[in-house]
Each structure stands twice: as structure tokens, then as C-alpha cells.
Amino acid sequence: MGVVEGLLALALVLNVVVVSNGGKSSLFVRKTKKTCDMPLDSDVFSVPPGYNAPQQVHITQGDLVGRGMIVSWVTTDEPGSSAVRYWSEKKGKKKKNGKKKTAEGKMVTYRFFNYSSGFIHHTTIKNLEVSVLLGGDLGQSFDSNITLSHYGLSPRKGETVLFVGDLFYADNYPNHDNVRWDTWGRFTERSVAYQPWIWTVGNHEIDFAPEIGETVPFKPFSHRYHVPYEASQSTSPLWYSIKRASAHIIVLSSYSAHGKGMPQYKWLEEELPKVNRSETPWLIVLMHSPWYNSYNNHYMEGETMRVVYEAWFLKYKVDVVFAGHVHAYERSERVSNIAYNVINGLCTPVKDQSAPVYITIGDAGNYGVIDTNMTEPQPEYSAFREDSFGHAIFDIKNRTHAYYSWNRNQDGVAMEADYVWFFNRYWYPVDDSTVYV
């Protein structure tokens, strides 16, 4: 069927785990010395030669069902054309390529404080044959480069990257230096120009800086990274859904209003009943702030969204939820915490085979900092955790089974530090727990 993968990786653990109240905490020791962002003259940030040469090329899905593609790029000398010429490739020596076609797009620019963007082009190509991948908190540090290179060398790749927010931390620089948006666009081009990345926003895309006169949240992101939100009747590019191969993928915004009656709430309330599990057996949700996290950093920051939406995730049998934010790796058991009603005191997560597995995968590199401070003892809902950088692959085999693996950067590309078979909650809802408590 399809493959879902990204900049997350687990490697095979051999005698390096410890069992606690919950699952396993890896004993792998990674050097904790903080690295830094790569300097602006790094070769991975190089500007392509030639007058007005396109740069920062990236693609994402351009419609609901996966037959469209948004192609985006930047020119710096002059606007140029927003047209994309394309054709179907015919395999075989004697077969000719298909008829060449042209799609016309549009060009936008923006200003952010004292920065002026290049000419940003977005063109949608329709009626293609395409298919899906996953990652988060990449950044543009030396560790980020290792993660992207490690994934590029992997013998197993998906067809689409699911990215769970925090692109590259321009807001860590004075005045949210938007030059770092340009360098990150060139840095990731080696992957995102050839595989569609599905975008989720994180807190580092908010770019709300009233002290310098910038009061429109998500301004740089919304100009640079377009998504097909209108195809799923969303009113905002910050939350939307797509269908990729045999998966229905829902993207949520942790940093937009999500309470009852809010636009995101109303959209999700209408979207979940539309999911056709005969057409797309697997239901996957992306967000930035994790709901189940046993690291002290960002602990319980996703609670306001969890208490509103978690019951829906059980009702509609979500298979897996991917989040970032925490700069480490963790996989949960299938658990829920929906019984609490203020007076009954039932506020502890319980094992629940109707619930999704929650995977925190904000370990792609960020600005070189890994979260190492875990809560102890390890909670029962936590199946496996490790404070390392890496990437993961979610390989959908059929409507009932998917194979998931995580690979840490320090290991060989074919090694798996964490791995598990997923059983579909709708078509094969049997116990797939890895820890019994």
C-alpha cells in the first residue's frame, strides 16, 4: 500500500534497555554537548549559480486525494515566470515520455521587519499519479545535517515526509532573522524538492513579534509554504487533511484556538465522520505539541487540546498520532484519559485498545539541543523513550498491518533502535501492546 516516513529513526536495541513501571528507557548514552547552527557560509546553504536561478524548491500535496502537487520556489533577481512544465515519464527504452504540459502559478513577496523576501512562486499541478513519509523539529544545526544525511542514505525510504512542526528556529535570532528561512529552504532542498513534505506548524513558526511591529502570526510560513487546506473545507492552512495512499492524514495546529465553537474545532468535528476506512484504512493525526510526554520539558503543554479532542480520537479509531516539540524520542502504549469529570478524580491514563499510539518525534536536530530530563519512574503509558536524534519510518503493508521503526543518527542506516507492528484499530483491533502492566 503506502509508506509513511520521515526524519525520525529508531535503531535496534541490543541489551541497552531498562524496564521500569512503564516500558523501556534506553541506556544509550549520547554526547550531550550542545552544537550550534551551521554558519551562513556552509556549503549546504549555497546559492545556486546563474542569474535568477530557482532556489529553495519544495513540493507538497496539492489536493485532497493525492493527484495534485504544489511546486514552490524562490527567485531573487527578478520575478520571472511562475509556470511549471511537466510530463509523465514512460518506463522502458522504447517508450517516449508523455505530452509536455504547462501549469501557471502565482508569485508572492512579504516583508518582516527589515527583511524583504525574494519572489516566492507557488504552482499547483493537477491530475498526477503520486503516493506518502514523516519528521519534526529539524532546524539547521550540525545535528540537523546529520539527520537529513542519515535519512538520505537509508535503504528504506517513504514517498512522502510528514513534518510535525518547527522548521528551523529563525525566531531564535535577533528580529527573527528571516535570512534563516532562505538558508533552511536551500538546506532541505536535497529532499523536499524530490519528495512531498506535508507541513504542520510548530511554535517556532508563529513569529509573533509586536516589539518590532510584526503582529501577524505565522506570516513567513504562510507566504513560503502553501498547503491544500481548502480541498478539505478548512478555513485555515494551519489545519487540514489529505489522503495519501491508504492513509487519511489530519493535520492540527497546537497553537491555534481549539476550544468548542472555534474554527479548528468545528472543522475537526465535521472532518472525522467523513473518513472512509474502506478507502483509507489508516487514520493518522499530526500535531506539534504532544499529549503524552514523559520528559520534563514541555510536560503537559498539550493538555488543553487533549481534553477537548481525545474522546473523538477514540470514537473514530485513530491509529497513531505523531507530534514533535520535545527534542527527543518517545512511543506510548495505547492509552486514554477521558473519564475525568471534575468530581470523580479519575485522571490517570489507562490502557485502552481503542486509543491511538502517541509518538513524539521532535528529534531531527533543532538547534543542537536534546532533551535529556525524563520523569522518573517511567510512566506506565510510556513504552519506549530515548534522548537521541534520529528519524522514523511508518510502513503501511495493508489495511490491517503497518511496520514502524525508529533509527538513531549514531547507528547504521539499516539498524532499528525501536520497532513495532501496528494493528489497524478499525479493521484489526486486536491487542498490539508491547508492554503489559
Side-chain angles (χ1 to χ4, degrees):
M1 303 291 285
V3 177
V4 183
E5 163 189 349
L7 306 178
L8 324 169
L10 280 96
L12 180 61
V13 179
L14 298 175
N15 300 319
V16 291
V17 297
V18 58
V19 179
S20 65
N21 285 5
K24 299 174 181 179
S25 291
S26 172
L27 294 180
F28 176 83
V29 178
R30 174 193 174 275
K31 292 182 179 180
T32 57
K33 180 180 178 180
K34 179 180 178 180
T35 64
C36 59
D37 281 353
M38 293 177 284
L40 291 175
D41 59 358
S42 298
D43 58 352
V44 294
F45 298 153
S46 298
V47 177
Y51 178 80
N52 216 38
Q55 59 173 273
Q56 305 174 51
V57 179
H58 53 276
I59 60 177
T60 191
Q61 183 161 312
D63 65 356
L64 177 64
V65 298
R67 292 183 58 82
M69 195 75 69
I70 299 174
V71 183
S72 304
W73 69 97
V74 176
T75 56
T76 57
D77 297 305
E78 60 176 272
S81 171
S82 295
V84 172
R85 198 175 189 190
Y86 65 102
W87 57 90
S88 60
E89 183 180 15
K90 303 295 183 180
K91 296 182 180 180
K93 294 182 179 179
K94 296 183 180 181
K95 294 183 179 181
K96 297 181 179 180
N97 289 334
K99 181 180 178 181
K100 291 180 172 62
K101 302 177 182 179
T102 300
E104 297 289 342
K106 60 183 179 180
M107 185 273 294
V108 298
T109 61
Y110 75 94
R111 287 186 58 83
F112 192 96
F113 190 51
N114 60 354
Y115 169 88
S116 296
S117 74
F119 305 101
I120 306 168
H121 304 260
H122 301 287
T123 301
T124 301
I125 301 173
K126 300 178 180 180
N127 299 318
L128 299 175
E129 293 183 7
V130 295
S131 51
V132 185
L133 183 130
L134 173 84
D137 296 74
L138 180 58
Q140 46 191 307
S141 67
F142 290 99
D143 285 305
S144 311
N145 194 31
I146 293 172
T147 299
L148 202 56
S149 299
H150 200 238
Y151 167 67
L153 294 172
S154 176
R156 295 179 59 229
K157 290 185 177 67
E159 296 183 8
T160 304
V161 173
L162 305 181
F163 194 85
V164 291
D166 280 1
L167 280 69
F168 53 88
Y169 308 88
D171 58 344
N172 282 353
Y173 286 83
N175 301 320
H176 296 227
D177 186 4
N178 272 225
V179 169
R180 284 291 177 172
W181 283 90
D182 294 317
T183 56
W184 195 82
R186 295 193 290 270
F187 164 58
T188 56
E189 193 171 4
R190 70 181 98 164
S191 173
V192 73
Y194 303 97
Q195 291 181 310
W197 287 31
I198 308 304
W199 304 106
T200 310
V201 293
N203 54 301
H204 288 282
E205 281 74 71
I206 298 174
D207 283 307
F208 178 74
E211 69 278 8
I212 57 174
E214 294 296 342
T215 58
V216 179
F218 303 102
K219 181 179 178 180
F221 175 86
S222 61
H223 279 80
R224 291 174 179 268
Y225 294 93
H226 282 196
V227 299
Y229 69 97
E230 293 173 320
S232 58
Q233 287 75 56
S234 171
T235 56
S236 169
L238 306 181
W239 57 86
Y240 61 99
S241 73
I242 60 168
K243 301 174 185 178
R244 296 293 291 179
S246 57
H248 191 114
I249 301 165
I250 291 176
V251 178
L252 297 178
S253 174
S254 298
Y255 303 98
S256 300
H258 42 259
K260 188 172 183 179
M262 293 295 101
Q264 184 171 203
Y265 179 101
K266 289 183 175 180
W267 174 81
L268 184 60
E269 185 178 32
E270 295 176 357
E271 176 67 16
L272 285 168
K274 296 178 184 177
V275 179
N276 184 340
R277 302 300 282 266
S278 295
E279 181 182 89
T280 50
W282 293 86
L283 181 52
I284 299 171
V285 176
L286 311 180
M287 62 182 65
H288 185 65
S289 187
W291 291 359
Y292 289 93
N293 160 39
S294 68
Y295 290 82
N296 286 314
N297 198 24
H298 303 309
Y299 183 63
M300 294 185 72
E301 286 185 15
E303 276 296 280
T304 57
M305 180 178 275
R306 184 193 65 79
V307 298
V308 177
Y309 295 155
E310 186 176 17
W312 289 353
F313 283 18
L314 273 66
K315 177 180 179 180
Y316 293 101
K317 302 184 185 300
V318 173
D319 293 292
V320 60
V321 177
F322 291 103
H325 204 32
V326 178
H327 298 165
Y329 172 74
E330 185 167 22
R331 172 175 55 82
S332 81
E333 293 297 332
R334 295 193 182 277
V335 293
S336 67
N337 187 8
I338 61 173
Y340 183 64
N341 65 3
V342 180
I343 61 173
N344 63 12
L346 301 176
C347 55
T348 301
V350 297
K351 185 176 177 180
D352 191 337
Q353 286 300 310
S354 296
V357 170
Y358 295 89
I359 295 177
T360 300
I361 194 126
D363 59 347
N366 57 82
Y367 42 88
V369 174
I370 197 77
D371 288 328
T372 60
N373 191 354
M374 305 175 184
T375 59
E376 298 294 351
Q378 184 173 0
E380 294 182 355
Y381 62 76
S382 177
F384 184 92
R385 60 186 183 177
E386 181 176 311
D387 48 358
S388 293
F389 292 128
H391 73 269
I393 297 172
F394 190 84
D395 188 353
I396 298 174
K397 302 297 186 181
N398 50 46
R399 75 175 185 176
T400 60
H401 289 70
Y403 184 74
Y404 171 79
S405 62
W406 176 76
N407 183 281
R408 72 167 73 90
N409 284 353
Q410 284 77 12
D411 293 333
V413 293
M415 295 183 65
E416 298 173 342
D418 184 31
Y419 55 94
V420 66
W421 280 97
F422 276 74
F423 300 154
N424 186 280
R425 292 301 89 188
Y426 185 90
W427 291 105
Y428 193 57
V430 300
D431 192 337
D432 57 2
S433 297
T434 56
V435 177
Y436 293 86
V437 293

